[in-house]
Amino acid sequence: MNWLWDIIVDSIVDAILGFMETFGKYISNIFSEVYKINDALPFDSIVNYSRILAMAIVQILAINQLLNVYVFRTDGDSEEDPFEIIMRTTCAVAMIYCGTFIIKRLIQYASAISTKATELTTGLNTNISDKFTNVANGLMGTETMGAALTIIMLAVIAIGFIILVFQAAKRGAELMLFTIVLPIVS
């Protein structure tokens, strides 16, 4: 019966390793890959529209604040220098127009880091089934129970890996939405 557990464990480990060898490049950069897929879609017009809308909102708010403080004297201190309002408006405009550039650079850095981390860990996955089996046998005492625990551990790892990939893909899509909303928020 022990040979059956070994075959099952080896097949699960081989399936996980084969999947990682085949799709490892995309899995390690799933966050940036989803962002690239979403960036390839025609979102430029939506981003430009949100920039125009954000610029209109910034202009209206800046003019409203300048009028309320310096003309109508209803808000703030009219003796204060208007340079602070101009600086806040300038920072908002800079964030509106540089937000997409900043996000793309951060995605490039994250992709480079995950690629390097993947390259460093590619040689570390040898004899995984033997290591799991030895740990499980040490924990459980018998080989049959150890093999069952090994299968459970591998199943938990596989399910956790699938959940991690799904969450990273979802975060990449959220980042694309953030790119659209960032000008309005700033």
Side-chain angles (χ1 to χ4, degrees), residues 2 7 21 24 57 65-66 92-93 109 118 152 156 171 176-177:
N2 194 21
I7 291 173
E21 287 175 7
I57 291 171
Q65 193 169 11
L66 285 170
V93 170
Y109 292 141
T118 304
I152 292 170
V156 167
R171 297 296 179 252
M176 189 60 207
L177 180 66

Side-chain angles (χ1 to χ4, degrees), residues 102-115:
I102 293 170
I103 290 173
K104 286 184 179 181
R105 291 299 167 254
L106 289 175
I107 289 292
Q108 286 177 353
Y109 292 141
S111 176
I113 290 170
S114 64
T115 302

Side-chain angles (χ1 to χ4, degrees), residues 12-31 118 121 125 128 132 152-170:
I12 291 173
V13 169
D14 288 340
I16 291 173
L17 291 178
F19 183 78
M20 284 303 295
E21 287 175 7
T22 306
F23 299 106
K25 176 184 165 194
Y26 300 108
I27 296 297
S28 67
N29 288 328
I30 189 70
F31 185 74
T118 304
T121 59
N125 57 7
I128 291 178
F132 276 138
I152 292 170
M153 287 172 31
L154 290 174
V156 167
I157 289 171
I159 291 170
F161 182 72
I162 291 169
I163 290 171
L164 177 71
V165 168
F166 177 73
Q167 285 180 342
K170 188 173 79 170

Side-chain angles (χ1 to χ4, degrees), residues 36-58:
K36 288 177 188 174
I37 290 170
N38 289 332
D39 196 34
L41 297 175
F43 282 122
D44 290 337
S45 59
I46 297 172
V47 172
N48 287 337
Y49 175 74
S50 66
R51 282 181 184 160
I52 292 169
L53 180 64
M55 284 300 296
I57 291 171
V58 166

Side-chain angles (χ1 to χ4, degrees), residues 119-154:
E119 289 173 0
L120 291 175
T121 59
T122 52
L124 300 177
N125 57 7
T126 57
N127 298 327
I128 291 178
S129 63
D130 294 336
K131 291 177 185 175
F132 276 138
T133 306
N134 291 337
V135 169
N137 287 337
L139 290 175
M140 299 301 286
T142 63
E143 289 191 16
T144 305
M145 292 299 288
L149 182 64
T150 302
I151 291 175
I152 292 170
M153 287 172 31
L154 290 174

